[in-house]
Amino acid sequence: MEKFTTLTGVAAPLPLINVDTDMIIPKQFLKTIKRTGLGKNLFDEMRYDRDGNEIADFVLNQPAYRNAQILIAGDNFGCGSSREHAPWALLDFGIRCIIAPSFADIFYNNCFKNGILPIVLPQEEVDILMEDAKKGANARITVDLESQTITTSDGQEIHFDIDPFKKHCLLNGLDDIGLTLEHVDKIDAYEARLRAERPWA
Amino acid sequence: MTAPKTLYDKIWDAHLVHEAEDGTCIIYIDRHLVHEVTSPQAFEGLRLSGRTVRCPEKTVAVPDHNVPTDPDRLNGIRDEQSRIQVEELRRNAREFGIELYDVDDIRQGIVHIVGPEQGWTLPGMTIVCGDSHTATHGAFGALAHGIGTSEVEHVLATQTLIQKKSKNMLVRVDGELAPGVTAKDITLSIIGKTGTAGGTGHVIEYAGSAIESLSMEGRMTVCNMAIEGGARAGLIAPDEKTFEYIKGRPHAPKGEDWEKALAYWRTLKSDPGAHYDKVVEIDAADIAPVVTWGTSPEDVLPITATVPHPEDFEGPKREAVRRALDYMGLTPGMKLTDIEIDTVFIGSCTNGRIEDLREVAKIMEGRKVKEGIRAMIVPGSGLVRAQAEAEGIAQKLIEAGFEWRMAGCSMCLGMNPDQLKPGERCASTSNRNFEGRQGYKGRTHLLSPAMAAAAAVTGRLTDVRDLL
């Protein structure tokens, strides 16, 4: 997994609530057996018409946001299906950070496994960033994970909270499985206990 | 004396392998269900890192999401990508020693219907699957939730997950349900009240006399949609009904183990005075047969209502409603019962069990599917299908005008050929009404099997109570 330290880039405004994972990556693209290559189909049904032509007014089709690396969105982003194809598609497009008032649990978790930083902020602060993002390509936002700050294009600083363990893994690009296997003796001990106490399990 | 615990607290504590100082925990996973869509990258990850499956005997695989439901599927899956995914699952199951219910196995079906049916799902367990509707298994008093593919790989390799504990939420539904009101109406009404983010960060325990009086099938329907309410998991304390359902199933404990398990399962209930961070109380008598009108499962109204106005809502929801009504092709103020449909879909992990099909058969008694309506029934598993055939339900439904399909997820998410065409409107017993969910520009109204049957008869959304 790629580390996340600091990121300065264009933020795309997507002022919708309940953006679900079906919207982020529709089901027909889940038939892949790879993690890569999904970026071109990110938000497919909002981004293209039936003939595959771009829908000009969708935010990621506008010239200012074609290379956006940050997404500013509404409440409950990533609700619905557990498909990790959603963060894979975002990452493959180039999005490394999503800022919203709230996220659905599974999507939120999935982001961290892929080097994407989801940031939860109060609505008022999301509103400030949404307005900043609407300024277009010249308004570049900086996200610094170490100091847990976001700096708007006009220099305003916003602090964000994040779970220390998740921050540590993201900053260092750590593999969860490797970390868990450091505790393999504890898993062995648990299984021995389980066999004695709940043999049917 | 220890503090009173909720059912969730008890299951959590019983699965704690390790807790770090910051509260990050390693939690043991008892059962891992695997399907073809969210697992190939996980198995590939194991191969690339030279790891193996730690407990293949606690893992079970079944293709369900993109298998066709046409009987012709036994001659091979035509869609190449779908075929490759199913073949991958087969290869991975064989290579890593995992039990597989393949496409031609009568036990094949939707993973969340197969798990309980085969006795893999037991009270007090932790159960995960790369699918958000894993919450279904909570009906047995198991802590069950969906995970992403990276976590699928993590569970395959370590039989554990890294987690922090969620908060406790109690949803109490007391009283008696009126005729025509079912488990689906309960679960949709709860989401209508709490919203799709109402349960975020929580595990919901459903309790109260209306929940206790539900069959195991009904309880699965309720827990299934906990995710639509934002909660990762929904739970119902196990009782004699639960034990009766489990007894004798292929993977249920037997003999001495059964007695030991039973004694343990009987301890799996919240202690009096246990603390919940959030409590919602609903009177069962206030629940009517409901339908969704929008593109979020929280857009729920009684069938007797009218389509709302965007102005009825505040903040960002107002714009969302405007967008939803435009997508759904509905005018504010129109009666829900005036909405005409093209398609009826009965199936999914929410409502693809035998009791659901019996409900449909009851409403269809002496009636036919309206001319011009495409109505399909997709049983949740091969065994549900066989049972419905044995009970004579299947024949009656076929004669009434329904298509009788093979088991799978089908039109719930339209990954297989069962999809809506642009503009088509479906009365669906599934769980999500998102834009494009059942097919590009397709329009979905979520409802109960009984309500879906009523819609099949009249060709529009209908109050099932008029047909009772």
Side-chain angles (χ1 to χ4, degrees):
Chain A
M1 185 179 84
E2 204 180 321
K3 294 177 185 178
F4 189 108
T5 50
T6 61
L7 172 69
T8 298
V10 172
L14 191 66
L16 291 176
I17 59 167
N18 296 330
V19 171
D20 58 69
T21 52
D22 277 77
M23 267 184 200
I24 298 171
I25 185 80
K27 66 223 159 227
Q28 60 269 34
F29 306 108
L30 310 188
K31 295 183 184 180
T32 174
I33 54 171
K34 296 190 164 63
R35 283 180 158 96
T36 51
L38 290 165
K40 62 180 182 297
N41 302 111
L42 175 70
F43 293 115
D44 194 82
E45 292 180 1
M46 297 159 92
R47 211 162 131 207
Y48 307 105
D49 66 18
R50 277 246 101 172
D51 302 322
N53 303 309
E54 287 188 3
I55 297 169
D57 61 358
F58 182 67
V59 62
L60 297 181
N61 289 334
Q62 295 169 22
Y65 302 109
R66 298 184 81 90
N67 296 310
Q69 291 177 281
I70 301 163
L71 207 56
I72 319 284
D75 250 322
N76 203 25
F77 189 89
C79 61
S81 145
S82 64
R83 58 186 72 165
E84 199 162 315
H85 308 69
W88 294 339
L90 287 158
L91 185 67
D92 198 56
F93 178 88
I95 304 281
R96 293 292 309 276
C97 174
I98 306 156
I99 302 170
S102 66
F103 290 88
D105 282 340
I106 303 177
F107 175 83
Y108 183 77
N109 243 3
N110 283 343
C111 283
F112 287 99
K113 315 285 181 194
N114 292 284
I116 297 175
L117 172 62
I119 298 177
V120 180
L121 288 177
Q123 184 72 52
E124 308 81 70
E125 291 178 334
V126 173
D127 290 344
I128 294 170
L129 293 168
M130 192 72 80
E131 287 312 309
D132 199 34
K134 285 177 182 167
K135 292 177 191 162
N138 295 325
R140 292 161 72 83
I141 289 175
T142 296
V143 179
D144 185 337
L145 178 55
E146 181 60 55
S147 68
Q148 298 178 214
T149 51
I150 301 166
T151 311
T152 64
S153 64
D154 48 16
Q156 186 178 348
E157 281 200 359
I158 294 173
H159 178 82
F160 63 89
D161 289 327
I162 185 171
D163 176 81
F165 176 72
K166 289 193 161 85
K167 175 179 173 178
H168 171 72
C169 290
L170 214 48
L171 278 174
N172 298 291
L174 296 179
D175 165 21
D176 268 1
I177 298 178
L179 289 176
T180 299
L181 288 175
E182 288 173 13
H183 298 284
V184 72
D185 54 327
K186 292 196 174 97
I187 303 175
D188 290 341
Y190 181 90
E191 284 179 341
R193 216 159 63 228
L194 185 64
R195 272 192 294 276
E197 290 171 10
R198 283 173 287 158
W200 64 87
Chain B
M1 207 182 117
T2 54
K5 288 179 178 180
T6 64
L7 173 55
Y8 170 54
D9 296 337
K10 289 183 184 182
I11 301 176
W12 176 270
D13 291 349
H15 289 84
L16 194 58
V17 173
H18 172 71
E19 181 166 4
E21 276 173 24
D22 71 347
T24 303
C25 297
I26 297 178
I27 289 295
Y28 196 78
I29 301 301
D30 293 315
R31 292 287 179 269
H32 187 190
L33 313 171
V34 174
H35 66 83
E36 78 278 24
V37 176
T38 57
S39 69
Q41 295 87 348
F43 285 110
E44 190 57 21
L46 288 185
R47 273 189 207 99
L48 289 173
S49 53
R51 292 176 177 134
T52 186
V53 176
R54 182 177 173 94
C55 302
E57 75 284 3
K58 297 180 181 185
T59 314
V60 59
V62 58
D64 58 0
H65 276 60
N66 65 27
V67 295
T69 57
D70 192 300
D72 181 45
R73 76 183 188 191
L74 297 177
N75 300 320
I77 300 173
R78 273 191 220 107
D79 180 271
E80 194 192 349
Q81 283 187 299
S82 298
R83 197 188 66 237
I84 290 171
Q85 274 194 335
V86 173
E87 281 169 359
E88 274 294 296
L89 186 69
R90 208 171 277 148
R91 175 170 85 104
N92 290 327
R94 199 169 44 228
E95 185 176 328
F96 292 99
I98 295 166
E99 184 163 356
L100 169 79
Y101 303 122
D102 212 337
V103 178
D104 58 356
D105 189 319
I106 194 168
R107 297 168 298 177
Q108 180 270 344
I110 307 171
V111 61
H112 308 309
I113 292 190
V114 170
E117 229 169 44
Q118 295 301 319
W120 286 101
T121 304
L122 299 173
M125 282 185 161
T126 47
I127 302 175
V128 296
C129 172
D131 186 278
S132 59
H133 290 110
T134 308
T136 314
H137 308 266
F140 293 81
L143 178 60
H145 60 80
I147 54 178
T149 299
S150 295
E151 287 186 318
V152 169
E153 186 179 338
H154 193 281
V155 177
L156 289 172
T158 70
Q159 205 57 32
T160 67
L161 274 179
I162 298 177
Q163 280 195 338
K164 275 201 170 165
K165 201 177 168 195
S166 302
K167 291 179 185 161
N168 279 286
M169 175 168 171
L170 176 67
V171 175
R172 266 197 90 85
V173 189
D174 278 309
E176 249 182 80
L177 293 175
V181 180
T182 66
K184 184 64 166 287
D185 301 298
I186 296 180
T187 203
L188 282 171
S189 298
I190 292 168
I191 299 160
K193 190 176 164 107
T194 60
T196 47
T200 302
H202 293 75
V203 165
I204 298 178
E205 180 178 345
Y206 299 96
S209 59
I211 301 291
E212 286 161 22
S213 70
L214 292 174
S215 64
M216 287 314 295
E217 283 86 352
R219 293 179 191 183
M220 283 188 253
T221 301
V222 170
C223 288
N224 172 274
M225 290 190 72
I227 182 75
E228 270 64 52
R232 263 192 160 197
L235 281 172
I236 296 173
D239 60 11
E240 294 307 314
K241 235 183 253 183
T242 319
F243 311 144
E244 189 55 37
Y245 179 99
I246 295 167
K247 199 171 185 182
R249 302 225 167 231
H251 290 274
K254 312 254 176 337
E256 203 182 310
D257 272 356
W258 171 259
E259 295 306 324
K260 205 172 167 184
L262 210 52
Y264 174 65
W265 294 344
R266 292 205 161 107
T267 68
L268 294 173
K269 53 183 135 205
S270 293
D271 297 328
H275 173 75
Y276 293 92
D277 302 277
K278 204 168 178 177
V279 177
V280 174
E281 288 179 336
I282 294 178
D283 185 346
D286 292 341
I287 302 176
V290 292
V291 295
T292 63
W293 48 266
T295 54
S296 166
E298 69 190 9
D299 300 339
V300 173
L301 279 173
I303 182 67
T304 48
T306 55
V307 174
H309 289 264
E311 288 70 34
D312 299 343
F313 300 84
E314 283 172 6
K317 182 70 185 172
R318 183 176 294 176
E319 186 47 38
V321 169
R322 205 167 281 136
R323 183 185 166 97
L325 293 181
D326 180 54
Y327 181 87
M328 293 296 289
L330 298 176
T331 316
M334 78 184 284
K335 283 172 145 179
L336 292 173
T337 48
D338 284 341
I339 298 174
E340 294 187 354
I341 50 126
D342 316 283
T343 305
V344 175
F345 171 67
I346 291 164
S348 85
C349 57
T350 316
N351 285 123
R353 285 169 284 268
I354 189 68
E355 186 183 89
D356 302 312
L357 305 190
R358 287 184 192 136
E359 281 280 327
V360 174
K362 209 157 63 186
I363 301 298
M364 293 309 295
E365 192 69 52
R367 298 188 175 105
K368 294 252 182 235
V369 172
K370 192 178 180 200
E371 182 105 3
I373 302 289
R374 175 192 188 196
M376 60 194 294
I377 297 183
V378 182
S381 71
L383 287 170
V384 169
R385 190 174 194 266
Q387 189 174 348
E389 286 169 354
E391 291 182 15
I393 293 172
Q395 197 50 37
K396 280 186 192 161
L397 292 172
I398 293 166
E399 282 164 15
F402 282 95
E403 295 174 29
W404 184 247
R405 297 303 196 99
M406 305 286 280
C409 298
S410 180
M411 201 186 270
C412 173
L413 84 164
M415 267 196 85
N416 75 348
D418 307 336
Q419 294 178 18
L420 295 181
K421 293 191 185 73
E424 275 185 344
R425 191 181 293 281
C426 182
S428 180
T429 67
S430 55
N431 41 56
R432 287 190 179 132
N433 51 356
F434 297 157
E435 289 180 19
R437 171 81 178 177
Q438 295 191 291
Y440 181 74
K441 300 282 183 203
R443 293 161 170 165
T444 304
H445 296 276
L446 303 176
L447 33 57
S448 73
M451 288 282 284
V457 171
T458 64
R460 53 184 169 76
L461 298 182
T462 297
D463 191 336
V464 67
R465 291 172 296 194
D466 297 342
L467 302 188
L468 292 180

